[in-house]
Amino acid sequence: MASFILRRAEPKDVSDILRLIKELAKFEEMEEKVVLTEKELLEDGFGDHPFYHCLVAEVPKEKSSDEYTVIGFAMYYYTYDPWIGKLLYLEDFFVMQEFRGLGIGSEILRRLSETAVKTRCSSMHFIVAENNTKSIEFYKRRGAADLSSEEGWRLFEIEKQDLLKMTSK
Amino acid sequence: MNFTIRAATREDCRDISRMIMELAVYVKRPDQVKISHEELERDGFCQNPFFECLVAEVPEEHKSEEGFTVVGYALYFYTYSTWKGPTVYLEDLYVMPEFRGNGIGSSLLSKVAEVAKKKQCVRLQLSLFDWNTPARDFYAAKGAQDLTVTEGWHFIRFDGQSLDNLANEAHSSSAEA
């Protein structure tokens, strides 16, 4: 049995958030791609123009085997669909391995959807790697649609060097 | 052909709304457009705008058959990568068919790239339907990678009833497992 709370992240949480970002990246076998620093996370999330919002899941100190009490997080922001308006976009969502199976992930997802409805968002979107079948099943069980399979949506990216090529005219 | 690219103003929202519908018709989903220029004015020109928009304008003498001088737009917003930092997400890029082939699309995209550079964004993302070959060719020529193909990313959505159902199950902040 474990009790936990969900709360909004505060500036003091950035080092835990970065730790969890790296753990999630490790799970996706992309750990070396995380170049973000605590300083950037702090400026980008808690400065004048926040680029993201974050929820953290915390357990009481005595329930944690090591010194960490922040054991899960969800990072999201608001995007815009010119057809339907505001959307909530879920960027990262992760619960530490040893704290899974306790309903923390489900509760985070419910809290996010409550936030989406309260802030007049028409839907909640995110991306998932197609080989991450466990996550895809988790979302589909809760009524999510896979737009890539069902409607043919593909994600494209133009990286910095190509962006710069377009600006040097 | 002479044209200018500039930041959209509140007054441009009717033109933008018109072109949003044209783009929706092109991607075969006109019935899915639920918002009008009113929501665009509210959401794009408030204190903390949910999007930014550039428009392409031609002089009077080059106006469209129906008399429009605002002939293209690019609508985008900022997102965040936990690996790399700030990102520009290009939601819509559209040029009216009779004005294509004049470099307007490329200019709109270049201007968005400039915005990305100014805001120190590390990349630009967008999504396309797999059947939209002209668009895929356009972006491929600018260096775009199809991450759905190369990395297997899929778009997932909760909306309507499934979103409501999920929200209605929310407990209080503390839960015993």
Side-chain angles (χ1 to χ4, degrees), chain A residues 1 35 44 80 83 91-92 102 120 123-124 126 128 130 142 145-148 152 154-158, chain B residues 34-35 42-43 77 80 82-83 124-126 128 130 145-148 152 154-158 177:
Chain A
M1 286 270 195
V35 297
D44 296 338
Y80 205 76
W83 296 355
E91 175 64 35
D92 265 16
L102 302 169
R120 210 190 5 96
S123 70
M124 184 159 70
F126 44 95
V128 166
E130 69 192 351
R142 286 156 179 80
D146 179 339
L147 299 180
S148 293
R154 299 249 196 114
L155 177 67
F156 286 79
E157 181 171 291
I158 300 180
Chain B
K34 309 290 185 202
I35 62 171
R42 178 194 62 196
D43 299 333
F77 41 78
Y80 202 73
T82 46
W83 295 355
L124 182 145
Q125 286 191 334
L126 56 121
L128 298 172
D130 51 11
Q145 311 282 321
D146 182 339
L147 297 188
T148 295
H154 279 221
F155 281 96
I156 308 284
R157 176 189 66 199
F158 274 101

Side-chain angles (χ1 to χ4, degrees), chain B residues 13-153:
Chain B
C13 288
R14 282 175 200 265
D15 276 302
I16 297 168
S17 188
R18 166 181 59 82
M19 290 188 284
I20 285 170
M21 185 53 95
E22 288 175 23
L23 179 51
V25 167
Y26 171 70
V27 297
K28 306 167 194 173
R29 284 167 167 62
D31 50 305
Q32 289 192 21
V33 181
K34 309 290 185 202
I35 62 171
S36 72
H37 67 92
E38 286 172 5
E39 283 85 356
L40 292 177
E41 283 164 22
R42 178 194 62 196
D43 299 333
F45 299 90
C46 52
Q47 184 140 24
N48 293 308
F50 289 93
F51 66 84
E52 291 180 6
C53 196
L54 296 172
V55 293
E57 195 165 31
V58 296
E60 263 304 304
E61 59 266 27
H62 289 305
K63 66 182 182 219
S64 77
E65 273 191 34
E66 289 128 329
F68 301 120
T69 53
V70 174
V71 302
Y73 76 104
L75 191 150
Y76 59 94
F77 41 78
Y78 303 100
T79 64
Y80 202 73
S81 158
T82 46
W83 295 355
K84 301 178 186 176
T87 299
V88 167
Y89 189 89
L90 179 60
E91 175 65 32
D92 273 11
L93 175 65
Y94 175 79
V95 177
M96 289 168 66
E98 63 193 279
F99 293 92
R100 290 183 199 156
N102 291 300
I104 297 178
S106 294
S107 287
L108 280 165
L109 188 59
S110 293
K111 262 286 155 66
V112 175
E114 262 181 48
V115 167
K117 185 179 170 185
K118 263 197 206 129
K119 284 256 158 69
Q120 299 180 313
C121 292
V122 298
R123 63 189 187 182
L124 182 145
Q125 286 191 334
L126 56 121
S127 60
L128 298 172
F129 284 117
D130 51 11
W131 54 259
N132 193 351
T133 327
R136 287 171 63 187
D137 290 342
F138 173 80
Y139 292 107
K142 313 283 183 197
Q145 311 282 321
D146 182 339
L147 297 188
T148 295
V149 163
T150 58
E151 298 187 10
W153 291 109

Side-chain angles (χ1 to χ4, degrees), chain A residues 47-78:
Chain A
D48 289 325
H49 170 212
F51 280 88
Y52 67 85
H53 304 280
C54 199
L55 275 182
V56 292
E58 195 165 29
V59 294
K61 245 192 159 62
E62 55 272 17
K63 298 287 181 187
S64 185
S65 55
D66 47 29
E67 70 268 31
Y68 305 126
T69 56
V70 173
I71 50 80
F73 83 113
M75 179 188 279
Y76 65 98
Y77 37 79
Y78 295 98

